[in-house]
Amino acid sequence: MRKSEIVIVGDTPGVEWRVPVLRFVGKDPHAPKVYMQAALHASELPGVVALHYAVPMLEEAERRGEILGDITVVPKANPIGAAQYLYDELQGRFEQGSRVNFNRDFPLVPLEECAGLIDNPSSRLATENLKRNLLSMAVQADLVLDLHCDDESVIYSYLHELYWPSSMDLAESFGLGAVLLSDGSSAAFEDAVTYAWQHGALGNRKNWHDGRLSLTMEFRGLRDVFPEIAKRDAEGILSFLKRRGVVVGTPSRNEPFTGAATGLDYVQMVNSPVFGALLFEKDVGEWVKIGERLATVAPMPGDPSKDIVITAPCDGYIVTRVQHRFVRATDNLMKIASRELSHAARKPGGGLEV
Ligand SMILES: [Zn+2]
């Protein structure tokens, strides 16, 4: 394994950011190339600790001569966000100066133009240079895993709809609870990678997704950072790489997919109609029927007659839950993967909150 660092010059004198990059060189130039990063949203650590355990496994595989495809790992992708503390809380999701989500506004550039992404860094701010450096590494790979997490959630993945069901092996390797299928129209990292591939040389466009996969993995919730879970996720990474012929060996994980595979337009957003204290009655990973109780919101403490009961708007599978227990009117409480077309308006950029 080779270690290097990307240096991002800060926006003010005397400041610079360093992004560690770990590289394994594969023995077979025809084997798929892999790029993995974690904590683009700097406070999301389940992917970081999964890579913490996966890297030594890859080093062991390297010692045994079992790495076939090149593997690039960026275990903590966002030092700018990791330094953003406000009132004692890490604010790793949005860049404080611009309020732009660190996982939005990636440049949408055809593959042939990606080599120029990091030219002239002095003409851009640090966050833009960080995004361009990450993207320029990822587009060179065939398999791109951007590791995130949700508030509280099952393990699930966002994928361009054209990668499914050919990436069923991903679900089997990680034991995914759900797969949410997008049309790739946001400027999130996974979509910017897909955009580059999709807009490659004319002759290759038709089959641009053959052998390729770019995804956002939601490694459960923010607080799901435990050694046993992280080791299991690392086994999931190794299992997936073995299935795709990047690493030699038999996958240790093989879990038939029984969860929900749903287009984003079929994800029902359950929102609160009032301010109040939130009391959940259903957990993530549960299947529910329309009309079933999901939660109670208590807007008037001491007066249960004012309680608002939140019920399921559809049959479906609870993918996520909000972590806070105080809510305002319109705040999202849950996302439910259903078979019915959602009436929720998606945000400009096409995605749900990733
Ligand atoms: Zn995230």
Side-chain angles (χ1 to χ4, degrees):
M1 182 181 76
R2 291 185 303 186
K3 292 183 184 177
S4 60
E5 277 185 338
I6 294 169
V7 177
I8 305 288
V9 176
D11 299 330
T12 51
V15 176
E16 66 179 23
W17 311 97
R18 291 174 178 273
V19 185
V21 179
L22 314 178
R23 285 196 171 88
F24 298 87
V25 178
K27 295 195 304 186
D28 180 357
H30 301 295
K33 296 179 174 58
V34 179
Y35 174 85
M36 297 185 280
Q37 69 177 25
L40 178 58
H41 286 141
S43 51
E44 299 176 359
L45 294 184
V48 173
V49 294
L51 291 176
H52 179 65
Y53 289 106
V55 168
M57 293 176 187
L58 291 171
E59 287 183 290
E60 183 58 33
E62 185 177 50
R63 277 191 285 275
R64 292 196 296 259
E66 295 173 353
I67 302 227
L68 299 180
D70 293 348
I71 303 170
T72 302
V73 184
V74 181
K76 281 201 78 176
N78 185 359
I80 299 173
Q84 293 186 155
Y85 275 79
L86 184 68
Y87 304 127
D88 258 356
E89 275 195 28
L90 177 55
Q91 306 290 326
R93 189 173 185 80
F94 296 88
E95 204 259 322
Q96 282 181 346
S98 64
R99 301 185 181 183
V100 172
N101 187 324
F102 280 113
N103 194 21
R104 289 291 185 279
D105 280 11
F106 275 86
L108 300 177
V109 179
L111 190 57
E112 282 69 26
E113 295 173 26
C114 284
L117 273 172
I118 55 176
D119 291 348
N120 304 316
S122 59
S123 66
R124 290 180 294 270
L125 295 175
T127 299
E128 179 71 8
N129 282 323
L130 173 68
K131 289 177 175 175
R132 284 168 172 255
N133 270 277
L134 299 174
L135 183 61
S136 68
M137 288 188 285
V139 295
Q140 298 168 38
D142 304 295
L143 307 171
V144 174
L145 283 69
D146 187 17
L147 309 182
H148 289 247
C149 70
D150 211 296
D151 259 20
E152 294 181 1
S153 80
V154 299
I155 181 169
Y156 73 101
S157 188
Y158 288 97
L159 298 178
H160 191 292
E161 56 198 4
L162 288 174
Y163 299 130
W164 186 260
S166 59
S167 52
M168 183 66 80
D169 58 344
L170 178 87
E172 292 166 349
S173 299
F174 288 95
L176 295 187
V179 176
L180 303 187
L181 303 171
S182 75
D183 54 12
S185 62
S186 84
F189 183 77
E190 60 154 295
D191 285 340
V193 173
T194 290
Y195 183 95
W197 293 343
Q198 198 170 12
H199 294 81
L202 194 59
N204 295 327
R205 282 183 197 170
K206 186 163 179 286
N207 301 315
W208 63 267
H209 50 88
D210 285 355
R212 281 177 166 151
L213 179 62
S214 172
L215 62 93
T216 302
M217 180 69 83
E218 301 285 352
F219 268 138
R220 308 177 194 79
L222 281 164
R223 293 166 61 85
D224 293 324
V225 181
F226 299 100
E228 290 314 314
I229 293 177
K231 285 175 193 167
R232 198 164 160 70
D233 289 338
E235 289 286 351
I237 290 170
L238 266 289
S239 293
F240 178 62
L241 298 188
K242 288 174 180 175
R243 284 196 169 88
R244 290 293 173 116
V246 182
V247 176
V248 176
T250 307
S252 60
R253 295 189 61 181
N254 182 21
E255 295 162 36
F257 179 65
T258 58
T262 305
L264 287 189
D265 289 331
Y266 291 77
V267 175
Q268 306 283 339
M269 308 291 276
V270 180
N271 297 330
S272 179
V274 293
F275 170 86
L278 173 62
L279 299 111
F280 278 123
E281 298 171 30
K282 291 287 181 189
D283 204 348
V284 298
E286 292 193 64
W287 292 86
V288 292
K289 293 280 186 193
I290 185 168
E292 238 184 292
R293 292 175 68 109
L294 300 175
T296 297
V297 180
M300 199 69 72
D303 185 357
S305 71
K306 299 289 192 299
D307 284 359
I308 304 292
V309 175
I310 310 292
T311 59
C314 58
D315 294 356
Y317 178 80
I318 301 172
V319 181
T320 76
R321 240 172 41 167
V322 70
Q323 62 166 329
H324 293 304
R325 297 299 184 259
F326 49 86
V327 291
R328 301 167 300 181
T330 75
D331 277 355
N332 178 246
L333 308 181
M334 284 179 164
K335 291 176 194 150
I336 298 180
S338 80
R339 292 192 179 84
E340 296 166 33
L341 198 58
S342 170
H343 298 295
R346 273 161 57 190
K347 293 187 173 181
L352 301 173
E353 286 294 302
V354 176

